[in-house]
Amino acid sequence: MERFTDKVVLITGGGSGLGRATAVRVASEGAKLALVDVSEKGLADSQAAVLEAVPGAEVLTVLADVSSEDDVARYVSATVERFGRIDAFFNNAGIEGKQNLTERFGADEFDKVVSINLRGVFLGLEKVLGVMRSQGDGGAVVNTASVGGIRGVGNQSGYAAAKHGVVGLTRNSAVEYGEFGIRVNAIAPGAIWTPMVEASMRQIDAENPEKAAEQFIQINPTKRYGKADEIASVVAFLLSDDATYVNAAVVPIDGGQSAKY
Ligand SMILES: NC(=O)c1ccc[n+]([C@@H]2O[C@H](COP(=O)([O-])OP(=O)(O)OC[C@H]3O[C@@H](n4cnc5c(N)ncnc54)[C@H](O)[C@@H]3O)[C@@H](O)[C@H]2O)c1
């Protein structure tokens, strides 16, 4: 089944982890891709991964910072210039930021995390929803929130504020754009094994990140990390016409972890 034949799918944070896995997944179902990231190497590696899985896939890569208004305008116009339209948008780029108690979190770190994880998501919505509405035939957006956007995890002031904010932006835009056939949903992943989570374990225990990783997962009902592919399959569903009546949803993909908090 090719749910994305002739569809243009734009993915931020496309140079690693969840963005790359989703790129491979939707390309394997026929999508034309625009991948956005601040990492040139990440973009090149993702493009190679897509082409290995789907020889001949059409992949545009755009080096851009999602927290910059000019860069967001540039990645949106580059996508429209190359492919003529945007059907689906995985608004996903993000960073974890430093882990610390609120009293030591620091305003600069807070601003940095919020700037990428919240402002970046808003800017993407602002520009892409305008394009989708002018196309006049609907569209689908998935924003990446987190378990940290629906529950208190701790040591994550910036991340928690931003990801809870992403849930708010999702509901707000979903309510506004439903009448245009444009659906806006969010995912709330739990602990998914990507470079971001590996780095997070080094923050928790620089000496023994493997032990920290092992302990961290014990709170999860499945006692294991999720795989990026297990996120990609849900994102592909939400972006596809299999989910035409799913709007304003925040879907946990966490092995049940958020039910335990
Ligand atoms: N991995 C998890 O367990 C997990 C859990 C919940 C939420 N998330 C969220 O999923 C999203 C993807 O994370 P991941 O695990 O794939 O991490 P990752 O670090 O593997 O990938 C994130 C990508 O975003 C890019 N990026 C960072 N800042 C950027 C910016 N300013 N502009 C453009 N690109 C930028 C990075 O270069 C990287 O390629 C993030 O929003 C993250 O908060 C991840």
Side-chain angles (χ1 to χ4, degrees):
M1 183 180 54
E2 296 235 325
R3 294 178 295 185
F4 294 94
T5 302
D6 294 329
K7 304 262 187 203
V8 178
V9 181
L10 169 62
I11 301 177
T12 67
S16 182
L18 309 186
R20 180 179 300 166
T22 301
V24 171
R25 173 69 195 233
V26 296
S28 74
E29 295 192 46
K32 299 173 188 174
L33 293 174
L35 305 181
V36 176
D37 209 288
V38 278
S39 165
E40 200 162 7
K41 180 177 182 322
L43 285 172
D45 289 351
S46 288
Q47 186 169 32
V50 170
L51 290 174
E52 195 188 335
V54 189
E58 285 190 64
V59 188
L60 168 72
T61 59
V62 186
L63 194 63
D65 177 350
V66 297
S67 65
S68 151
E69 210 169 346
D70 288 349
D71 280 19
V72 174
R74 189 165 51 76
Y75 79 62
V76 170
S77 61
T79 306
V80 173
E81 249 165 57
R82 166 76 180 264
F83 297 119
R85 55 184 289 112
I86 301 170
D87 296 290
F89 180 35
F90 185 27
N91 199 3
N92 162 72
I95 60 169
E96 195 212 0
K98 295 210 176 78
Q99 296 182 19
N100 225 329
L101 279 182
T102 306
E103 70 197 60
R104 292 196 287 267
F105 196 80
D108 287 349
E109 183 66 13
F110 183 87
D111 289 347
K112 180 178 156 193
V113 177
V114 168
S115 166
I116 295 171
N117 291 8
L118 183 57
R119 178 183 157 87
V121 168
F122 165 71
L123 292 174
L125 286 170
E126 182 188 30
K127 298 281 183 292
V128 172
L129 287 172
V131 169
M132 284 178 173
R133 196 161 77 86
S134 69
Q135 289 169 177
D137 57 357
V141 178
V142 171
N143 296 322
T144 301
S146 171
V147 164
I150 56 173
R151 294 285 183 269
V153 175
N155 289 318
Q156 294 190 326
S157 295
Y159 195 82
K163 294 298 188 180
H164 277 77
V166 168
V167 169
L169 287 177
T170 301
R171 293 183 177 134
N172 178 68
S173 297
V175 166
E176 290 174 0
Y177 285 81
E179 68 177 294
F180 307 114
I182 299 169
R183 300 177 296 102
V184 185
N185 293 295
I187 53 165
I192 315 302
W193 196 255
T194 67
M196 176 184 282
V197 166
E198 250 183 289
S200 171
M201 293 308 138
R202 281 195 294 277
Q203 282 203 59
I204 293 170
D205 187 346
E207 307 280 291
N208 199 343
E210 290 82 13
K211 189 166 153 241
E214 194 49 44
Q215 271 173 0
F216 188 76
I217 211 59
Q218 291 317 310
I219 57 165
N220 192 289
T222 65
K223 309 286 183 213
R224 70 168 176 91
Y225 285 89
K227 294 179 244 155
D229 286 353
E230 293 175 300
I231 302 297
S233 56
V234 179
V235 175
F237 163 72
L238 290 170
L239 292 177
S240 79
D241 285 348
D242 282 343
T244 42
Y245 206 52
V246 184
N247 190 30
V250 181
V251 182
I253 316 171
D254 65 358
Q257 184 179 328
S258 55
K260 281 186 80 179
Y261 277 103

